[in-house]
Amino acid sequence: MLPWWFWTLLWTVLVLATLLCTVLAGFRLFRQGMKVFDTLGEASEQLGAEFAKPGTVVDYAPVGRRYPHGTEATHADPRKIKKLVRKGKAERIEARRVRRVARRTERGQAQNMQDLGLF
């Protein structure tokens, strides 16, 4: 059987070693966290500088209503309203197709044959 002072010494050394490892791990984690925040700060500065360049703000024109709304629509002929809604939807689909073709042409990407209206 080992003496009582040996067990006390053993547990004291084990507890101190555990505390030392915990402190070192915490210090390392803190330093890595500070590196992450520094990198995040640099990235946000670069992103802010990129958005601050002139010409990056797009000013969209207001879209007018394509079909009646409110009481004008509720008291109008339903066939006329449906026709106007279909017409507006077709115009929006065509506008999206034109923008898609222009965007792909600008980027040098392959075009969809259906978008080009070849078939």
Side-chain angles (χ1 to χ4, degrees):
M1 184 86 177
L2 296 172
W4 66 270
W5 56 268
F6 175 77
W7 291 109
T8 306
L9 182 65
L10 178 67
W11 280 104
T12 304
V13 170
L14 288 174
V15 168
L16 289 176
T18 303
L19 286 175
L20 179 66
C21 288
T22 305
V23 168
L24 289 176
F27 183 69
R28 182 174 178 217
L29 184 64
F30 175 76
R31 289 185 57 184
Q32 288 178 349
M34 293 308 292
K35 284 182 187 177
V36 167
F37 282 123
D38 289 341
T39 306
L40 185 62
E42 292 171 7
S44 67
E45 288 173 6
Q46 289 176 356
L47 191 60
E50 188 68 30
F51 281 129
K53 290 182 181 176
T56 55
V57 178
V58 179
D59 204 13
Y60 293 104
V63 178
R65 296 195 186 272
R66 289 184 164 75
Y67 49 90
H69 62 284
T71 55
E72 187 180 329
T74 56
H75 297 296
D77 182 29
R79 288 175 289 193
K80 180 182 173 188
I81 298 297
K82 285 181 183 179
K83 182 180 176 184
L84 290 172
V85 168
R86 284 192 207 112
K87 181 181 174 188
K89 183 176 180 179
E91 288 174 0
R92 290 189 302 273
I93 289 172
E94 179 63 19
R96 279 196 304 269
R97 186 193 68 77
V98 168
R99 286 193 310 264
R100 184 172 48 245
V101 168
R103 183 180 62 241
R104 286 185 173 185
T105 301
E106 180 183 310
R107 294 179 182 172
Q109 295 175 333
Q111 295 289 343
N112 187 346
M113 293 298 219
Q114 190 175 10
D115 284 346
L116 295 177
L118 298 176
F119 296 103

